[in-house]
Amino acid sequence: MTSDQPTPTLQDVATAAGVSTATVSRCLNFPDQVTKRTRAKVMQAVNALSYSPNFGARAMASRRTNTIGAIIPTMENAVFARGLQAFQDELHSYGFTMLVASTSYRADIEEEQIRALVGRGADALLLIGHERSPNTYRFLETQNVPTLITWAFDTSLTRPSIGFDNRKAMRDMALKVIELGHRNLAFISARTTLNDRAKARQSGIEDAMAISELRASDLHMVETVYGIEQGATAFEQVMKAASQTTAVFCGNDVLAVGALRRAREMGVRVPEDVSVIGFDDIELAEVAYPALTTVHVPHREMGWRAGKALAELVTNGTPIEAIELDANPVFRGTLAPAKG
Amino acid sequence: MTSDQPTPTLQDVATAAGVSTATVSRCLNFPDQVTKRTRAKVMQAVNALSYSPNFGARAMASRRTNTIGAIIPTMENAVFARGLQAFQDELHSYGFTMLVASTSYRADIEEEQIRALVGRGADALLLIGHERSPNTYRFLETQNVPTLITWAFDTSLTRPSIGFDNRKAMRDMALKVIELGHRNLAFISARTTLNDRAKARQSGIEDAMAISELRASDLHMVETVYGIEQGATAFEQVMKAASQTTAVFCGNDVLAVGALRRAREMGVRVPEDVSVIGFDDIELAEVAYPALTTVHVPHREMGWRAGKALAELVTNGTPIEAIELDANPVFRGTLAPAKG
DNA sequence: TTGTAGGCGTTATCAT
DNA sequence: ATGATAACGCCTACAA
């Protein structure tokens, strides 16, 4: 670096172009309110100085940031990645920037991140799932930040959501599994504390059992934290505690893949001895061997629809229309009829 | 909402607490410059109003944003996810916020994203790989934004990097493969345009061939875009065009997993008929069947070291110390000695 | 320890 | 169509 020249400001451009700052501002924001000739002069100065507007100043003066925040449980694996990419692409096409933060599935961190993004002037927020502390919702309300929920759908709530019904999706899957003759079911669940998706998925299995005249209380449940290794451990626990199990549902594909691995290590054949069912349909599911039977989640569509809805809300005030998407079973190699 | 009460400002808090705005500001930024008593009063007012500082104003007044940007090729899969999460966690512990943007592996989009993040006042930037247009580097220099390169390491360049030597890593892997008797090698590469990692990995294989007195020109190369499906297609091409191939290197695990799948579909046995080698060691690699032999990349360490380096640079001016990490072969099921 | 006041770079409302 | 100029909300010398 030769010299620490300070970044050029609007004023510098104005001086260079021989106009007022107001005119430069207009050139940049409303080009057609300005003469062709003036515009040319100004743009030339802009380029010469390679001026680029100061975000903070602009945010302060216009009281808008063109920023939309997304807060997801984790970036560690691909569960939210595909949807997020679609969300970001859509926002980008509207001229918005996406800010991401992750919570490691912890409610306290989520609240912190919400404050951080709101503090940074996010014009709106995308959140995963409905369940969080009243405090958090109160904050969002007083701050007047529009919020959209995704990865869930629940009309009984007033908050808009664009997602799918976790309970119904899991119920449909479970009905198919029961139809194949499975009676001894287990469920390896993600932590259900402040996680409505996990709870809903459990309820879905129980619904299916009730419909099929099985006793929901017979569902063998193990709750564990996220991770392949945790899924493996949980699978072993299940097989030890309830060895008659023929079908193991998992709260998500990551756990399911762990279960699959441990099954192989234990000499338990999938699907001949026990069927394994996941949820999410991320890349892992296809790649696993045998390929995982799972509930397909419309990642991309959810993402872009959410992006579009928020962009239009912020831009034109178009109210968000709740949208329920389908999440359907995908049958692959890990599910087979129950023996006998 | 009952009333559209405007967000509280520093002034509001000051009034409520019966002090000046300066005192409130100090309470928030340098708590120990203020009496315990005063602080208590102020914090109470802060909570009562649930005040949270305006980012733009703060950025403008302090000329710092406490924001560090990261620009990665894609969020679609887990390649960069683990490292990014570690990066973000480390930044967070220093009080920084991470901004992410993705480029879909396109140089023009990368440049746009760099401008966007700089425009938003990013105090520093994390970029993947060294190779980009001189224009882009010039911009970064005139804007005076410190930049750290990761996912690569090259002392011949003056730019600091914290990463690993792609060429050396791939060479080491290739040497092992050749040692196992493989002579007919193929390489399914990611696009090499403006992608120094892809090029380096290719060079690594060629280096190993040269060392082993094989003709580097005999390496059968296929270049393709990112994706499982693309890896599958490329594998088929390779086996059709060079059926004597016994070892297929892939530029990354995603392509490798695609190759694996197509091999199964084609009735080609891995590793009996052909060995498949990946790069990155993401979750997919472990989960694939057979589990993928691949080059392990120290995702997390790279991420947190990068975060620490940038945070300390921005905070204390500590210059970045380039760090070379190891990326070593991991031998799993897809590699076996060549037949005969 | 606390208060006063000027300035940070834009936008937007008025005039002209 | 263009130009003054008053906000915008916070930080930080400097003064008290």
Side-chain angles (χ1 to χ4, degrees):
Chain A
M1 276 154 274
T2 52
S3 76
D4 249 72
Q5 45 190 257
T7 7
T9 72
L10 240 209
Q11 186 54 255
D12 298 331
V13 178
T15 310
V19 298
S20 75
T21 60
T23 300
V24 179
S25 175
R26 274 190 290 259
C27 266
L28 265 23
N29 300 306
F30 314 96
D32 28 54
Q33 285 183 25
V34 152
T35 328
K36 209 167 173 177
R37 232 180 69 77
T38 318
R39 204 180 343 169
K41 266 195 314 195
V42 171
M43 291 321 274
Q44 199 206 323
V46 165
N47 288 326
L49 300 175
S50 66
Y51 163 81
S52 100
N54 177 299
F55 174 75
R58 171 176 272 186
M60 199 161 74
S62 69
R63 321 188 116 280
R64 277 241 342 242
T65 60
N66 283 317
T67 291
I68 291 182
I71 300 180
I72 59 173
T74 179
M75 298 190 274
E76 280 259 349
N77 50 58
V79 175
F80 301 100
R82 281 224 292 288
L84 208 59
Q85 180 72 52
F87 182 67
Q88 127 115 313
D89 289 347
E90 189 70 14
L91 288 184
H92 187 251
S93 77
Y94 277 87
F96 281 86
T97 301
M98 174 183 77
L99 251 49
V100 210
S102 66
T103 68
S104 308
Y105 285 96
R106 282 179 45 187
D108 55 333
I109 301 191
E110 188 189 49
E111 179 150 1
E112 186 183 325
Q113 300 284 30
I114 289 178
R115 282 180 190 279
L117 291 188
V118 170
R120 302 179 71 81
D123 294 330
L125 242 40
L126 181 73
L127 300 176
I128 306 290
H130 285 285
E131 192 171 357
R132 46 185 56 77
S133 80
N135 231 339
T136 307
Y137 277 121
R138 205 174 311 125
F139 174 76
L140 253 15
E141 217 160 84
T142 61
Q143 298 285 317
N144 233 306
V145 180
T147 301
L148 172 59
I149 306 297
T150 185
W151 275 84
F153 186 83
D154 191 336
T155 37
S156 73
L157 302 168
T158 53
R159 263 182 298 289
S161 53
I162 294 184
F164 58 93
D165 186 328
N166 284 273
R167 181 168 182 166
K168 198 198 308 172
M170 191 58 126
R171 188 197 63 200
D172 291 350
M173 173 60 98
L175 284 172
K176 296 287 186 183
V177 171
I178 294 171
E179 212 169 83
L180 287 174
H182 292 281
R183 291 294 173 271
N184 294 107
L185 311 179
F187 181 39
I188 299 177
S189 175
R191 281 278 136 82
T192 52
T193 319
L194 285 182
N195 184 336
D196 50 339
R197 286 100 58 217
K199 282 182 201 145
R201 293 173 193 182
Q202 178 182 350
S203 304
I205 301 178
E206 293 171 348
D207 289 351
M209 293 178 82
I211 293 173
S212 314
E213 306 195 331
L214 300 179
R215 288 202 326 213
S217 58
D218 286 349
L219 176 65
H220 185 81
M221 264 270 303
V222 176
E223 194 177 311
T224 184
V225 299
Y226 210 92
I228 294 187
E229 201 46 45
Q230 283 73 20
T233 308
F235 181 80
E236 191 166 347
Q237 282 172 28
V238 165
M239 296 318 286
K240 293 222 163 108
S243 56
Q244 74 288 8
T245 301
T246 65
V248 177
F249 291 87
C250 298
N252 56 62
D253 288 350
V254 174
L255 292 173
V257 158
L260 231 46
R261 177 207 285 171
R262 183 57 48 87
R264 188 155 52 223
E265 292 163 359
M266 293 171 67
V268 174
R269 293 170 307 162
V270 176
E272 293 80 359
D273 299 331
V274 31
S275 290
V276 172
I277 301 99
F279 201 115
D280 288 343
D281 198 18
I282 60 179
E283 272 179 352
L284 282 182
E286 285 180 77
V287 164
Y289 184 80
L292 194 62
T293 289
T294 188
V295 176
H296 175 76
V297 168
H299 302 269
R300 291 224 177 69
E301 183 173 2
M302 230 161 48
W304 73 254
R305 283 192 185 277
K308 186 183 172 66
L310 284 178
E312 300 205 325
L313 169 65
V314 175
T315 310
N316 319 315
T318 317
I320 294 179
E321 177 195 5
I323 302 177
E324 178 172 10
L325 301 173
D326 284 332
N328 296 314
V330 183
F331 300 101
R332 301 206 184 92
T334 59
L335 174 62
K339 292 172 294 195
Chain B
M1 278 156 272
T2 51
S3 76
D4 249 75
Q5 44 189 261
T7 14
T9 71
L10 240 209
Q11 186 55 256
D12 297 332
V13 177
T15 309
V19 298
S20 75
T21 60
T23 300
V24 179
S25 174
R26 276 190 289 260
C27 266
L28 265 24
N29 299 307
F30 313 96
D32 28 55
Q33 286 184 23
V34 151
T35 329
K36 208 165 173 177
R37 233 180 68 78
T38 317
R39 203 176 353 171
K41 265 195 318 196
V42 172
M43 291 321 274
Q44 198 205 324
V46 166
N47 289 326
L49 301 175
S50 65
Y51 164 80
S52 101
N54 177 299
F55 173 75
R58 171 177 275 187
M60 199 160 70
S62 69
R63 322 190 113 280
R64 279 249 331 252
T65 59
N66 283 317
T67 291
I68 290 181
I71 301 181
I72 58 174
T74 179
M75 297 190 276
E76 279 259 351
N77 51 56
V79 175
F80 302 100
R82 280 223 292 288
L84 206 61
Q85 180 73 52
F87 181 68
Q88 125 114 313
D89 289 346
E90 189 68 16
L91 288 184
H92 188 250
S93 78
Y94 277 87
F96 282 86
T97 301
M98 174 184 77
L99 251 49
V100 210
S102 65
T103 68
S104 307
Y105 285 96
R106 281 179 45 188
D108 55 333
I109 301 191
E110 189 190 47
E111 180 150 2
E112 185 185 327
Q113 300 285 30
I114 289 178
R115 282 180 190 278
L117 291 188
V118 170
R120 302 178 71 82
D123 294 331
L125 243 40
L126 181 74
L127 300 177
I128 306 290
H130 285 284
E131 191 172 357
R132 45 185 57 77
S133 81
N135 231 339
T136 307
Y137 277 122
R138 206 174 309 127
F139 175 76
L140 251 16
E141 216 160 84
T142 61
Q143 297 286 316
N144 233 304
V145 180
T147 302
L148 173 59
I149 305 297
T150 185
W151 275 85
F153 185 83
D154 190 337
T155 36
S156 73
L157 302 168
T158 54
R159 264 183 296 290
S161 53
I162 293 184
F164 58 93
D165 186 328
N166 284 272
R167 181 168 181 167
K168 198 198 309 173
M170 190 59 125
R171 190 198 62 199
D172 291 350
M173 173 60 99
L175 283 172
K176 295 288 186 182
V177 172
I178 294 172
E179 211 169 83
L180 287 174
H182 293 279
R183 292 294 175 269
N184 294 105
L185 312 179
F187 181 38
I188 300 177
S189 176
R191 281 278 136 81
T192 53
T193 318
L194 284 183
N195 184 336
D196 50 339
R197 285 99 59 216
K199 281 181 201 147
R201 293 174 193 181
Q202 179 182 349
S203 304
I205 301 179
E206 293 170 349
D207 289 352
M209 292 178 82
I211 293 173
S212 314
E213 308 195 330
L214 300 180
R215 289 206 323 219
S217 58
D218 285 350
L219 176 65
H220 186 81
M221 264 268 306
V222 176
E223 193 178 311
T224 183
V225 300
Y226 210 92
I228 294 186
E229 202 46 44
Q230 283 74 19
T233 307
F235 180 81
E236 192 166 347
Q237 282 171 29
V238 166
M239 296 319 287
K240 294 223 163 107
S243 57
Q244 75 287 10
T245 301
T246 65
V248 177
F249 290 87
C250 299
N252 57 61
D253 289 349
V254 174
L255 292 173
V257 157
L260 232 47
R261 179 208 284 172
R262 183 56 49 86
R264 187 154 55 224
E265 291 163 0
M266 292 170 68
V268 174
R269 292 170 308 161
V270 175
E272 293 80 359
D273 299 331
V274 31
S275 290
V276 172
I277 301 99
F279 202 115
D280 288 342
D281 198 18
I282 59 179
E283 272 179 352
L284 282 182
E286 284 181 78
V287 164
Y289 186 80
L292 195 61
T293 288
T294 188
V295 177
H296 175 76
V297 168
H299 303 268
R300 290 223 176 71
E301 184 173 2
M302 229 162 47
W304 74 254
R305 282 192 186 278
K308 186 183 174 66
L310 284 178
E312 300 205 324
L313 169 65
V314 175
T315 310
N316 319 316
T318 317
I320 296 180
E321 178 194 5
I323 302 177
E324 178 173 9
L325 302 173
D326 284 332
N328 296 314
V330 183
F331 300 101
R332 300 207 185 91
T334 59
L335 174 62
K339 292 172 293 193

